[in-house]
Each structure stands twice: as structure tokens, then as C-alpha cells.
Amino acid sequence: MSVDGVPETVTAALADRQVEGQVCLEAGAGVGNTTAGLLAQGADRVYAVTNDADHAATVRERVGDGNADRLVVVEADLRATPLVTDSVDLVTAHGLCNVLPPTALDAVAAELTRVAKPGGHLVVDDYAVPPADASVNRLFALENAAARAVDGQPALTFYPPAVLAAVFADHGWTVERKKTLLEPVPWTEAHLDAHAEVVRGYADDLPDVVGGPLAAMADDIAAAIGSERTGTMYSLAFRLAE
């Protein structure tokens, strides 16, 4: 973390972007890391969009004080937001795409394009496909198996940079730069516990005879790994056609 509580990955991803005075959108606000970074760098207004009520409350609590005139927390599906067409100067998607299944990715890209101004900017930060020998793959595979059993689609999809570049290119965006934010990625004990918690959540929706062993397996795998440094987090910066 940097001194203002904004992760260094966010600061690095925004370092070469014009933020001050801009209308910005954090797509998939999570706990508001990028919203905090955008506000700290002088954004005129930030729309923090999430479909998770708990995340929305966290963002309001974290950065709402003193920013009432610059922060708008929006609870909405990223495939259909209430934002006005051509209204956003800078769109950010920090760690978003890896939680979007392939069936939703293009629709989200289309919506982010709709709200962006012609000539606007987009920053997409995400995780590359983990190395084949990474221990974390075992936990991610279990998480995806549990998600498919409940929702019929994976919880995690790691897209290579070229894939995301191609998806957004289809909507009129051109890549301006690519940079590495983390290499290796530090998958901490807290990160792995969070993924195990996701599995436990899915397990609660399954019959006990299936859910119980799934939850126990997730806990065992997370405990066995402990933490691991592996893989890459990258950042792509795009510009939309005028």
C-alpha cells in the first residue's frame, strides 16, 4: 500500500493518465481502491459502480466523507448502468475482468464503451494466466468447479492481455500502452482465504453431501499453500476513437 491507502498497483496504473479534472468511472468498485486513487489524484467526479451492496457500503464508508460532491456510488449491473451515454472521460477496470465469465465480458465492454466520451480513455488492469505449475491453480480450479455447480459458469477467468485488447478493439478502443504492475503476484494468506471463502459460499448452496467436502477441501488447499508468489498482473491503457 502507498501512504494514502491506495494500492501501488492502482497508483502505477494511473501514473500516465490524465485524472485531475476528469469525470471517471470505476467499473467494479470492489472495496474502492481505484475510486480512492482517482479521488486522490483530483478527479472532478467518480462514479463507483458495483452490483454488490456490501461493496457499495464499503466504498461510501471508506471515501465518502468529504467527497459528497465528487463521489457517486452506483449499485448496478455493469452490463446496463444508469450512466449517460458519452459522459465519462476515464474508465477504469482494476481486477474486474478476471471475475467476468466469457459470456459477460463483451456485454460489459460494450457498456463501458457506451458511457465513455469519444476520445476518452480506459485502463484495464488484470491478472495473466497463472503458470501451469502454480499451486494457487488448485484453489482457483476448485472455486470454478463450485461456481459451475451453482451458477453454471466459472467464478474466475484469467484473460491474456491480447484477448482483452481484442475484445475492446472490437468496440473502437486502441491500445496506447501495456505495462507490468506485479511480477510475481503476491498471493497472500489473506487472498487465498478470501478465495476459500468464495468456495464456502457456493458450498452453502449445494447439498451437504457435496458442499461439506468442497468447503473442507478449499480450506485444506488454502492452508497447504499458505502464500505464493507467482504470475503477473498487467495494465492496458486504451483510447476510444473520436
Side-chain angles (χ1 to χ4, degrees), residues 88-110:
V88 175
D89 298 298
L90 171 63
V91 179
T92 65
H94 189 80
L96 168 68
C97 293
N98 72 98
V99 296
L100 295 178
T103 53
L105 180 60
D106 189 68
V108 171

Side-chain angles (χ1 to χ4, degrees), residues 169-192:
D170 282 346
H171 293 279
W173 297 89
T174 299
V175 176
E176 290 192 320
R177 68 105 174 102
K178 175 190 172 185
K179 67 166 68 172
T180 298
L181 298 179
L182 291 171
E183 190 172 24
V185 177
W187 299 103
T188 66
E189 183 176 345
H191 287 138
L192 299 187

Side-chain angles (χ1 to χ4, degrees), residues 4-239:
D4 57 3
V6 178
E8 292 178 1
T9 51
V10 171
T11 302
L14 297 177
D16 57 359
R17 301 296 95 184
Q18 174 64 39
V19 176
E20 186 173 2
Q22 302 294 289
V23 175
C24 304
L25 161 64
E26 184 187 8
V31 297
N33 284 329
T34 306
T35 291
L38 293 167
L39 291 169
Q41 293 193 29
D44 186 64
R45 175 164 294 189
V46 179
Y47 294 100
V49 181
T50 176
N51 64 354
D52 187 306
D54 290 337
H55 285 170
T58 297
V59 175
R60 292 187 184 100
E61 181 179 354
R62 178 180 179 183
V63 294
D65 289 349
N67 292 307
D69 58 336
R70 296 198 295 146
L71 172 65
V72 182
V73 179
V74 181
E75 294 183 46
D77 189 320
L78 279 170
R79 293 169 293 188
T81 74
L83 274 65
V84 175
T85 298
D86 300 345
S87 62
V88 175
D89 298 298
L90 171 63
V91 179
T92 65
H94 189 80
L96 168 68
C97 293
N98 72 98
V99 296
L100 295 178
T103 53
L105 180 60
D106 189 68
V108 171
E111 179 65 2
L112 299 185
T113 305
R114 181 189 69 80
V115 304
K117 294 179 180 178
H121 294 267
L122 165 69
V123 177
V124 176
D125 311 318
D126 232 291
Y127 300 96
V129 179
D133 61 351
S135 297
V136 291
N137 284 330
R138 291 183 289 146
L139 184 58
F140 298 155
L142 186 66
E143 186 174 341
N144 278 344
R148 286 191 176 97
V150 175
D151 294 334
Q153 58 188 13
L156 298 168
T157 304
F158 295 99
Y159 299 97
V163 171
L164 294 185
V167 168
F168 284 98
D170 282 346
H171 293 279
W173 297 89
T174 299
V175 176
E176 290 192 320
R177 68 105 174 102
K178 175 190 172 185
K179 67 166 68 172
T180 298
L181 298 179
L182 291 171
E183 190 172 24
V185 177
W187 299 103
T188 66
E189 183 176 345
H191 287 138
L192 299 187
D193 283 346
H195 284 281
E197 176 62 30
V198 172
V199 177
R200 290 194 292 270
Y202 285 119
D204 288 342
D205 293 330
L206 294 169
D208 289 345
V209 67
V210 177
L214 270 178
M217 190 180 300
D219 290 339
D220 289 346
I221 291 174
I225 297 171
S227 64
E228 185 176 27
R229 298 176 63 85
T230 187
T232 303
M233 186 179 194
Y234 60 86
S235 177
L236 299 173
F238 299 83
R239 184 175 176 86

